[in-house]
Amino acid sequence: MDPSPKDGESAAAAEPSRGGAAPSSGVVVQVREKKGPLRAAIPYMPFPVAVICLFLNTFVPGLGTFVSAFTVLCGARTDLPDRHMCCVFWLNIAAALIQILTAIVMVGWIMSIFWGMDMVILATKDVVAVGSHKWHRSTLLWREQTLPRQVGAEPVGN
């Protein structure tokens, strides 16, 4: 009996008659996480605010999520661009209430901590390098919209 190959590369090497492609010619696979509406409503916040929300969620389940709901009203982006700001605000309030009400059985507390960790992860993904400085994307958008342009200055962002 032949030992069966355990991974894709050895399977391709064991059967050269299946198309003749070398194992190094691989296929590019793109993986995209599908988020539910509550998870997609987590706002992209500045890093210090996200850390404060994580801290609040760790010690008072749901409080950091409740605070993050108000950042949506202040213009924080979410992964729900087609929904109105008020709808996303209420989704975050609903997530906070779920965390508070289920904290009694520890589920809400654990959910709250993971929610805070997701806030910090999203905050680190939303950093853009411009020149030698790293800027939060919302700061760049604010500067672009509110500060007057200098003659001959480079555009901020992108």
Side-chain angles (χ1 to χ4, degrees):
M1 270 197 144
D2 290 331
S4 63
K6 300 226 190 264
D7 62 351
E9 286 185 7
S10 59
E15 297 183 32
S17 62
R18 294 184 70 188
S24 63
S25 67
V27 177
V28 176
V29 177
Q30 182 180 8
V31 179
R32 234 177 64 195
E33 182 183 2
K34 184 177 183 328
K35 297 178 178 180
L38 280 180
R39 184 66 60 134
I42 299 174
Y44 287 82
M45 299 177 282
F47 186 75
V49 177
V51 170
I52 290 169
C53 288
L54 171 61
F55 181 78
L56 291 172
N57 271 349
T58 303
F59 295 105
V60 182
L63 184 59
T65 307
F66 185 76
V67 169
S68 75
F70 289 96
T71 65
V72 173
L73 295 178
C74 293
R77 292 184 309 111
T78 64
D79 289 331
L80 294 172
D82 54 336
R83 298 253 179 125
H84 192 267
M85 184 187 317
C86 290
C87 179
V88 177
F89 169 77
W90 287 112
L91 282 171
N92 279 295
I93 294 295
L97 288 175
I98 291 169
Q99 292 167 7
I100 292 167
L101 294 175
T102 58
I104 299 166
V105 290
M106 298 294 285
V107 173
W109 194 15
I110 294 167
M111 177 186 173
S112 184
I113 292 170
F114 278 111
W115 220 258
M117 289 171 32
D118 281 344
M119 290 177 201
V120 172
I121 289 168
L122 289 175
T124 58
K125 285 183 180 178
D126 208 34
V127 173
V128 177
V130 177
S132 61
H133 300 287
K134 289 186 178 178
W135 295 91
H136 193 268
R137 191 176 311 274
S138 60
T139 304
L140 290 174
L141 292 174
W142 176 82
R143 287 182 63 198
E144 197 170 79
Q145 293 169 358
T146 58
L147 297 179
R149 291 208 179 245
Q150 295 176 354
V151 178
E154 289 184 25
V156 185
N158 295 359

